[in-house]
Amino acid sequence: MKKIGFIGCGEIAHIHAACILRHGGTVAGGFDLAESSAGKLTAAYGGKIYLSAEELCADPDVDAVYICTRHDSHIAYIAMAAGHGKAVFCEKPIGLRLADAEQAADIVASSGIRFAMGFNHRYSPGMQRLKRFIDQAGSKVDALNAQFVTAPFMQGWAGGAEQGGGVFVCLGSHIFDLVHYLIPGEIQEVKAVSSRIRLGPEYEDDAFAAILMTEAGQMLTLNAHEFGNASYSTDPGHRINTITVFKGHEAASAGTGHFESFSAGGSTMERFPADHLSLWGYSELNRRFLLTLQGEAVEIPGVDAGLFAAQLIERCKEGL
């Protein structure tokens, strides 16, 4: 039974902890700059309160470290955990800036630790079904339209330049990974626009759109913003992401919990009732990470996925 330690014990840590227990893991404990947050996590899921991140990483009973902190701290905690030979699960993004992502990739490569990124949206039932549709034999995807919409959350540290990074880092990390997972391949051309529409001047932009052209000549159009509300995008989250692909004479559209296909013979709809942990892909991602800790070879987003998202964010910003 693998034991997981948490650095950062807020809302996202509670989600991962619930998934870990669901799939047979154990919570060793947690550290948070606010000790009360660590107390709430351990009271709910077990384990002990660590007085420092260093103490947690040095504990021989901890098999893996989950990093669920503000974006600017990720690289320091990745280095600390790797220095103690711990496997790492890092919430997105891998780093606030491309240089951080490159440094993280070097640390993972040199240390040889097991590493996973928190790109949970790959594993929602709707996106898994869309992936099967894309990969089935026949014509390739010609075009993809993707939308990623959350309820407002960036009027705080997430929207700041020095801790969160705004819409490109907060939402771009997810949508770039999800689209690349569905349609892998080199991105040859990037065009992007972004704007601060609802937030004040002290924050980074809160909306962006991008057009990507792949080496295979596929057009991918993406947009992301935080202008949804709880019933639209986060409760239970059916429309937090919506992706439509056009493949030969067929088309298909998916969200977290549904899949619809369109052909000359008509359309079909599939729905996937699930709890929040499964609907957003958290449960499956954590299941896969626990399997990797046991030495099993399963597909999971690694450090290369985090680096790819960071590179694409940088390319978008360079073209603004």
Side-chain angles (χ1 to χ4, degrees):
M1 186 178 295
K2 298 302 181 181
K3 295 183 178 181
I4 308 300
F6 284 88
I7 300 177
C9 300
E11 179 183 5
I12 190 64
H14 283 251
I15 290 172
H16 289 304
C19 294
I20 288 164
L21 297 186
R22 173 181 288 188
H23 295 295
T26 301
V27 175
F31 164 75
D32 196 287
L33 294 176
E35 188 174 330
S36 60
S37 294
K40 290 177 182 178
L41 182 76
T42 55
Y45 302 103
K48 68 178 185 179
I49 299 173
Y50 290 90
L51 299 182
S52 70
E54 187 74 35
E55 179 192 5
L56 185 152
C57 291
D59 188 343
D61 288 337
V62 172
D63 295 301
V65 175
Y66 271 52
I67 299 171
C68 303
T69 56
R70 294 179 178 180
H71 303 160
D72 59 317
S73 65
H74 287 184
I75 183 62
Y77 288 133
I78 290 170
M80 183 183 296
H84 289 278
K86 303 298 186 184
V88 170
F89 181 107
C90 183
E91 257 302 327
K92 65 82 195 168
I94 194 170
L96 189 59
R97 299 176 178 83
L98 178 57
D100 297 332
E102 293 170 339
Q103 184 181 353
D106 289 342
I107 290 170
V108 172
S110 62
S111 65
I113 61 168
R114 298 184 187 278
F115 185 93
M117 285 296 307
F119 288 136
N120 50 289
H121 289 285
R122 293 183 178 198
Y123 300 112
S124 71
M127 291 305 151
Q128 285 291 292
R129 180 63 182 88
L130 183 61
K131 177 67 171 171
R132 294 195 296 273
F133 170 82
I134 291 171
D135 291 347
Q136 69 189 20
S139 55
K140 69 175 178 66
V141 169
D142 296 307
L144 173 150
N145 299 329
Q147 175 178 280
F148 201 101
V149 176
T150 69
F153 72 99
M154 286 190 284
Q155 193 168 4
W157 69 265
E162 297 305 318
Q163 292 181 322
V167 68
F168 274 116
V169 176
C170 292
L171 300 187
S173 297
H174 270 311
I175 195 171
F176 290 144
D177 175 74
L178 183 54
V179 168
H180 188 59
Y181 170 68
L182 294 171
I183 303 181
E186 182 180 348
I187 303 298
Q188 288 194 332
E189 188 175 356
V190 176
K191 296 183 183 298
V193 295
S194 70
S195 181
R196 189 189 309 111
I197 295 175
R198 293 187 180 177
L199 294 180
E202 68 271 29
Y203 296 107
E204 295 292 284
D205 288 351
D206 55 14
F208 82 84
I211 301 174
L212 315 179
M213 293 297 299
T214 73
E215 61 181 347
Q218 300 155 299
M219 178 176 286
L220 317 176
T221 59
L222 297 71
N223 75 83
H225 57 77
E226 60 161 7
F227 307 151
N229 54 41
S231 61
Y232 180 86
S233 56
T234 59
D235 185 18
H238 287 294
R239 294 187 181 276
I240 190 170
N241 52 61
T242 305
I243 296 184
T244 304
V245 297
F246 300 87
K247 183 173 184 273
H249 298 293
E250 297 180 289
S253 182
T256 57
H258 71 274
F259 170 83
E260 190 171 9
S261 62
F262 307 85
S263 67
S267 64
T268 62
M269 169 69 81
E270 301 174 39
R271 295 194 180 277
F272 311 101
D275 62 20
H276 177 75
L277 300 181
S278 298
L279 194 66
W280 286 42
Y282 288 116
S283 182
E284 179 62 13
L285 176 56
N286 279 277
R287 185 187 74 85
R288 289 173 181 245
F289 183 61
L290 289 174
L291 288 176
T292 67
L293 296 181
Q294 297 167 11
E296 297 192 30
V298 295
E299 185 275 325
I300 195 166
V303 70
D304 56 330
L307 182 57
F308 172 84
Q311 290 169 335
L312 203 47
I313 290 168
E314 186 74 9
R315 290 176 68 182
C316 284
K317 288 183 173 182
E318 287 175 349
L320 294 177

